[in-house]
Amino acid sequence: MRTLKVQIIENKRGPSIHDGGNSALHYVNAGCTRQTTQKSAVVRSHQYNLAFCPVEHVDQQLDYICKMGRQYIARWRNPFATAAWLHVTFTRCHPFDDGNGRMARLISSIPLVRCGFPPLSITPSGRKVYYDSMNLAWDGDYQPMINCFVNCIRDAMTDVERIMS
């Protein structure tokens, strides 16, 4: 990832992949973390006020997540608990400028797939429960997120069975 380059076009509205007007073109290393880009990540809304890992600690935190994630995947008996821990810890770190949620769902799928379950799939009907359970897990209550993952996979499999029959 550290050598992959993504073309970004800057315009008056902000970064864009496609633009036909007068814009500045540059490339961003897709594997760079926020520690490299020096961009802080904060989410403020009427529901949330989240601050993520400070930029100077992102790479260290990402190394910790990888180290502990490997241990938890190898040793924990409940792949859904491991998936929930990985998801929340990665999301709290927020190591990249973009794609952290997608990457968290991919990483969370590793313990599930290794135990014979399908990868994590958040269906549109499960999105609200997913975000609500994320908020609870952010504060330390992982059980709703574990339940959400189980239910989302069950719902996705039901959809697959319905489509295939």
Side-chain angles (χ1 to χ4, degrees):
M1 287 289 291
R2 294 185 195 272
T3 59
L4 178 65
K5 300 282 186 195
V6 176
Q7 179 180 347
I8 301 293
I9 300 169
E10 294 282 340
N11 60 34
K12 293 176 187 170
R13 296 177 313 275
S16 170
I17 299 298
H18 307 287
D19 186 288
N22 295 331
S23 301
L25 172 67
H26 66 278
Y27 291 89
V28 175
N29 187 322
C32 286
T33 63
R34 286 187 306 108
Q35 187 162 333
T36 301
T37 63
Q38 290 294 299
K39 291 185 179 177
S40 294
V42 177
V43 174
R44 287 189 178 100
S45 73
H46 65 283
Q47 290 180 315
Y48 313 109
N49 189 13
L50 304 174
F52 300 97
C53 182
V55 294
E56 63 271 10
H57 299 296
V58 168
D59 289 349
Q60 178 184 6
Q61 182 68 20
L62 197 53
D63 287 342
Y64 169 79
I65 293 166
C66 291
K67 176 185 172 192
M68 297 309 295
R70 281 191 291 273
Q71 289 181 23
Y72 293 159
I73 288 168
R75 295 189 180 123
W76 279 7
R77 294 180 190 221
N78 185 336
F80 289 93
T82 306
W85 182 87
L86 283 166
H87 192 288
V88 171
T89 307
F90 186 87
T91 305
R92 287 182 85 153
C93 178
H94 202 86
F96 303 109
D97 293 340
D98 187 34
N100 292 288
R102 290 176 294 236
M103 186 62 73
R105 289 185 292 278
L106 283 170
I107 290 169
S108 298
S109 293
I110 295 170
L112 301 174
V113 170
R114 288 190 63 168
C115 289
F117 295 101
L120 185 59
S121 174
I122 307 299
T123 60
S125 62
R127 221 173 261 150
K128 181 180 178 345
V129 172
Y130 167 69
Y131 287 119
D132 290 345
S133 67
M134 261 296 282
N135 288 327
L136 294 170
W138 192 276
D139 292 330
D141 184 3
Y142 287 82
Q143 192 61 53
M145 177 152 269
I146 293 167
N147 296 342
C148 173
F149 286 179
V150 169
N151 292 330
C152 282
I153 288 175
R154 184 182 301 130
D155 292 348
M157 292 307 297
T158 300
D159 290 346
V160 168
E161 288 173 4
R162 182 180 43 77
I163 291 168
M164 297 305 293
S165 55

